[in-house]
Amino acid sequence: MEITFELGYALDTFYFLICGALVMWMAAGFAMLEAGLVRAKNTTEILTKNVALFAIACTMYMICGYGIMYGGGDWGPFLSGIMADGATGVAEEPATYAPSADFFFQVVFVATAMSIVSGAVAERMKLWAFLAFAVVMTGFIYPMEGAWTWGGEAVFGMYTLGDLGFSDFAGSGIVHMAGAAAALAGVLVLGARKGKYTADGKVNAIPGANLPLATLGTFILWMGWFGFNGGSVLATATVESANSVAIVFMNTNAAAAGGAIAALIVARILFGKADLTMVLNGALAGLVAITAEPSTPTPLQATLFGGLGGILVVLSIVALDKVKIDDPVGAISVHGVVGLLGLILVPFTNDGSSISGQLIGAATIFVWVFVVSLVVWLVIKAVMGIRVSEEEEFDGVDMSECGLEAYPDFTSSRS
């Protein structure tokens, strides 16, 4: 059955927008997950960060980020570039969806990368220092590595990642590992929370205040990931693309399930208990692992790939604690370590990629984001400081940064 260009254009545009809305909903998932895994006295501040970073990401990507990433060297603002193409696409090669739909879908990915940073630096970073970094991350750091990968530009004019056999379907490396690299740089400059580690190397657990909220956040992220991966098919108006979308949805769900089961089992073996936080991170790790290539594995392979992510994330969280890298929500492990795993797994089911290309691509993304982020964090530290005072950290940053407490009827940092 033939489909007219106009109808296909409308269907693909609508699908793009719906998937973008699902990914936007992941912002709520990150907010709930992080709010559940921090202490009650820091809840308002982390919610403020998540709302503000989303707004900053949308604005900075519009002003310059999209132009850097897809402008082919033209760093002009989005509004003077892609929007000028109008609703019917470029004349020589008509688009299959509205250019503005593409921007909307891309901008929510930027916000996702920045959300990863939020949880890793929680409970001790100054709000305005974090927001200052968000401006640079979403307006320049992420768009540059995005230009070298999805944008198809050569890396500093030296090599093109696609030509080397690099493939990242929906962003295990481009989005998730990049966000984790920025987070790692911030954590190293920031330092650990007071009381997290003792002088003799002991790790003190700092439980989150609201595990039901963290669980809700995980399910929201799980749901939003169908838009994240499914939307990256970029079309649904033909039989071929519709089948591809269905496969991606199926494999995304299978990987999340595999990650949760594997993390549950590993936590039981290591800790003797069914650790809910590890199960939640296991599900997210499975999602990150399959994001690099959800269209070519079989459902069983997707489940196994997710399971590998679930195993690795538990081991990584334990290992980072041993070297005193304090990540309250496990973001660096979930998105960084497992993001790398996802890239490495791609060649096992996708013949168009290679192990060497994946490793070069991963190294390019990590080195760029980590080094530039480290410089930005150090500049912010020198200019305005990045860490709250010991007294503010002890009392909780809700009052010092926001002047509001999330649970005033149950606890008070001023008592």
Side-chain angles (χ1 to χ4, degrees):
M1 182 175 119
E2 291 188 5
I3 188 168
T4 65
F5 171 77
E6 290 80 5
L7 180 57
Y9 186 98
L11 286 174
D12 285 345
T13 295
F14 180 72
Y15 176 67
F16 229 7
L17 293 172
I18 293 300
C19 286
L22 280 172
V23 180
M24 184 272 170
W25 187 231
M26 291 174 69
F30 278 113
M32 296 302 97
L33 175 66
E34 294 169 18
L37 293 180
V38 300
R39 288 166 287 184
K41 62 186 180 180
N42 299 309
T43 307
T44 300
E45 193 262 357
I46 204 159
L47 293 174
T48 304
K49 283 199 302 184
N50 275 274
V51 175
L53 76 85
F54 187 85
I56 290 171
C58 292
T59 303
M60 290 305 301
Y61 200 63
M62 178 188 68
I63 291 171
C64 59
Y66 191 93
I68 293 172
M69 192 162 170
Y70 292 108
D74 177 11
W75 289 17
F78 166 75
L79 290 177
S80 66
I82 300 300
M83 286 291 285
D85 292 341
T88 56
V90 181
E92 304 86 34
E93 186 178 346
T96 61
Y97 44 77
S100 49
D102 179 64
F103 169 77
F104 176 66
F105 187 71
Q106 296 294 336
V107 77
V108 289
F109 274 55
V110 186
T112 298
M114 191 62 214
S115 294
I116 295 166
V117 183
S118 172
V121 300
E123 300 201 294
R124 72 270 201 208
M125 176 171 278
K126 290 181 177 180
L127 173 63
W128 290 98
F130 173 82
L131 298 182
F133 179 80
V135 170
V136 183
M137 176 69 179
T138 60
F140 177 68
I141 299 175
Y142 173 89
M144 281 297 295
E145 59 98 1
W148 300 329
T149 49
W150 287 332
E153 295 296 313
V155 181
F156 295 122
M158 294 186 292
Y159 57 90
T160 302
L161 291 175
D163 292 339
L164 296 178
F166 176 77
S167 176
D168 190 357
F169 186 91
S172 285
I174 298 168
V175 178
H176 295 280
M177 192 178 69
L184 176 61
V187 169
L188 292 177
V189 175
L190 187 62
R193 290 168 291 175
K194 297 297 181 184
K196 176 65 177 178
Y197 307 112
T198 62
D200 60 0
K202 180 182 177 183
V203 179
N204 293 321
I206 302 179
N210 195 327
L211 293 184
L213 200 62
T215 304
L216 173 63
T218 301
F219 273 116
I220 292 173
L221 288 168
W222 192 327
M223 176 182 175
W225 230 286
F226 296 122
F228 200 96
N229 288 353
S232 295
V233 176
L234 307 181
T236 192
T238 66
V239 172
E240 181 181 10
S241 60
N243 284 337
S244 182
V245 167
I247 290 170
V248 168
F249 270 58
M250 176 177 63
N251 285 342
T252 298
N253 191 65
I261 293 169
L264 175 65
I265 294 171
V266 173
R268 177 66 176 82
I269 294 171
L270 293 181
F271 315 130
K273 304 290 182 181
D275 189 320
L276 173 62
T277 61
M278 292 299 180
V279 176
L280 300 180
N281 278 328
L284 296 177
L287 290 163
V288 171
I290 200 63
T291 293
E293 184 47 88
S295 65
T296 55
T298 65
L300 179 58
Q301 287 173 324
T303 304
L304 294 174
F305 290 170
L308 289 175
I311 294 169
L312 183 59
V313 77
V314 177
L315 300 178
S316 176
I317 289 172
V318 173
L320 290 183
D321 261 341
K322 289 186 180 298
V323 295
K324 298 184 178 181
I325 294 177
D326 184 15
D327 178 358
V329 304
I332 296 171
S333 296
V334 170
H335 302 277
V337 177
V338 179
L340 176 60
L341 171 68
L343 291 177
I344 294 173
L345 291 173
V346 172
F348 289 94
T349 61
N350 184 340
D351 294 336
S353 62
S354 67
I355 289 291
S356 61
Q358 296 301 96
L359 292 175
I360 293 171
T364 300
I365 294 168
F366 179 82
V367 171
W368 164 259
V369 177
F370 178 79
V371 172
V372 179
S373 295
L374 185 64
V375 171
V376 174
W377 285 123
L378 290 171
V379 170
I380 294 173
K381 180 179 181 180
V383 173
M384 60 188 298
I386 63 171
R387 185 161 186 149
V388 299
S389 68
E390 287 192 28
E391 181 181 358
E392 289 170 337
E393 184 176 347
F394 178 80
D395 290 339
V397 293
D398 281 0
M399 289 305 298
S400 63
E401 296 291 291
C402 301
L404 295 170
E405 291 181 320
Y407 308 105
D409 292 339
F410 300 97
T411 183
S412 175
S413 61
R414 292 164 290 179
S415 61

